[in-house]
Amino acid sequence: MPTRDVAGTLARAMDVPLQFVVGKGGVGKSTVTAALALRAASRGLRTLVVEFGGAGGVARLFNQESLATGQLSILAPRLTLLALAGDEALAEYLRMVVPIKRVLALVFQSRLYRVFVDGAPGLKELMTVGKVWYESNRRMADGEPVWQRIFVDAGASGHSLQYLQMPAAATATFRSGLVHREAARVQSMLADPSRTCVHVVATPEEMPVTEACSIVARLRDSLHLPIGTLFMNRTRDAVPDGAHDALARLDRLPPPANGRDALRDLLRQAVDAAIEWQGVQSAAIARIEAETGLPAFRLPLIATEEFGRAEAGQLAAMLPDDSPTAPDAAGVEK
């Protein structure tokens, strides 16, 4: 698919109100999440970033590592961060349904409550995704949504898919009652391509590509959730045309008088490494596009000692800004 079409697909996905970002650990999910959020905020949209598992990569990018779970932190104009953990999400839910604080305090202090929270399979994941559902449905006094865009850094792929599968699993397990109703509402939101999409992030290396292909397959075949954009992060520029000819010419130069030329050796090593990496990168992108059927939106490697907000801003500026106004989710795979 031509690059312009890839950008158009991403632009349409960026108009979806709720966007999850998943991928193998270490591929830059937090960076991509921050870039998407910065882009949305720069378009004037009230934007919330949610991190599962407490303050993590996005918080570090904005020097908010000490942010407590459940607390909101304003990162920039129209951009707010919320770190979520299952315990806190469950506690907040109970505060809404049990208005008597004295009773609630007794519940939180009880050993039975702790045993239940720690032992109930999938409860924390369900409550965490439920908190995202709550934020996506919050309205201001005039009826407008509190958050026009929500981006979720859902953590490493294994855990993030566990979060995403819990509402459907709970709906199937509990055939009626409160848990069934709450889980069904959350699942309805996740499966609706006009409301939700899931971006997948990889880097052009074997293991991240393998895991990304597996994630896409699970999203399609098992979870039945809308896929947004496939991001190929940390790609490098193509080696300039004529690099091979330059190496050949270098080899034809007469040897120096002392028989050694350190600069020539270093130059050869650098060009050889760049050519080799280009082959690896091209093969990885070709493989992931062939196996997933999705075009990859490439984000460049930014060489820096410490990756921070400024670098995330550079990536945000590379994202499309000509998204259509009608959030009809066209281009979002379902």
Side-chain angles (χ1 to χ4, degrees), residues 47-110:
T47 303
L48 176 68
V49 176
V50 177
E51 282 197 288
F52 284 175
V58 177
R60 283 192 293 276
L61 287 174
F62 290 87
N63 299 316
Q64 297 289 320
E65 298 94 329
S66 60
L67 179 65
T69 56
Q71 299 298 310
L72 295 171
S73 176
I74 298 175
L75 303 177
R78 300 177 295 280
L79 179 56
T80 302
L81 173 65
L82 171 64
L84 280 184
D87 292 18
E88 180 58 33
L90 176 59
E92 181 172 341
Y93 176 78
L94 291 176
R95 291 188 193 102
M96 289 189 292
V97 299
V98 183
I100 304 175
K101 293 183 179 180
R102 181 171 58 83
V103 174
L104 199 57
L106 291 174
V107 170
F108 289 156
Q109 293 169 7
S110 72

Side-chain angles (χ1 to χ4, degrees), residues 17 44-49 72 74 77-80 82 131-150:
L45 300 171
R46 295 183 298 276
T47 303
L48 176 68
V49 176
L72 295 171
I74 298 175
R78 300 177 295 280
L79 179 56
T80 302
L82 171 64
K131 172 62 174 175
V132 173
W133 175 88
Y134 170 76
E135 292 294 340
S136 72
N137 284 279
R138 286 178 63 192
R139 293 291 184 272
M140 299 188 293
D142 60 2
E144 289 296 309
V146 172
W147 309 113
Q148 293 168 297
R149 294 291 182 276
I150 298 178

Side-chain angles (χ1 to χ4, degrees), residues 33 37 61 71 76 109 125 149 166 186 193 197 226 296 303:
T33 304
L61 287 174
Q71 299 298 310
Q109 293 169 7
E125 289 80 4
R149 294 291 182 276
M166 273 314 300
V186 175
C197 69

Side-chain angles (χ1 to χ4, degrees), residues 126-309:
L126 181 60
M127 297 310 301
T128 302
V129 180
K131 172 62 174 175
V132 173
W133 175 88
Y134 170 76
E135 292 294 340
S136 72
N137 284 279
R138 286 178 63 192
R139 293 291 184 272
M140 299 188 293
D142 60 2
E144 289 296 309
V146 172
W147 309 113
Q148 293 168 297
R149 294 291 182 276
I150 298 178
F151 298 93
V152 181
D153 183 351
S157 55
H159 208 185
S160 61
L161 295 182
Q162 190 175 354
Y163 281 112
L164 292 172
Q165 75 179 11
M166 273 314 300
T171 302
T173 302
F174 299 93
R175 299 302 179 92
S176 62
L178 176 63
V179 175
H180 175 85
R181 291 195 301 273
E182 296 291 326
R185 287 199 296 182
V186 175
Q187 178 60 23
S188 176
M189 174 190 68
L190 294 182
D192 184 348
S194 71
R195 301 176 67 190
T196 301
C197 69
V198 184
H199 301 300
V200 181
V201 183
T203 52
E205 301 163 283
E206 181 177 356
M207 290 304 296
V209 165
T210 298
E211 192 151 328
C213 291
S214 175
I215 292 170
V216 170
R218 284 198 61 187
L219 290 171
R220 279 183 178 141
D221 304 332
S222 175
L223 302 181
H224 307 294
L225 297 181
I227 299 173
T229 294
L230 173 63
F231 286 97
M232 185 59 78
N233 194 23
R234 300 178 192 147
T235 60
R236 303 184 190 186
D237 291 338
V239 176
D241 293 338
H244 292 87
D245 290 342
L247 279 179
R249 292 179 183 178
L250 199 63
D251 291 337
R252 289 196 294 270
L253 291 175
N258 60 5
R260 298 183 59 189
D261 191 336
L263 180 59
R264 185 188 302 185
D265 291 342
L266 286 174
L267 183 58
R268 165 170 275 288
Q269 291 172 15
V271 175
D272 281 343
I275 292 174
E276 181 180 1
W277 177 254
Q278 180 171 292
V280 172
Q281 176 173 291
S282 298
I285 294 174
R287 178 192 164 200
I288 199 169
E289 290 186 332
E291 292 192 18
T292 65
L294 298 171
F297 187 91
R298 305 183 189 190
L299 290 172
L301 171 70
I302 297 179
T304 179
E305 288 188 6
E306 187 172 354
F307 202 98
R309 173 179 174 173

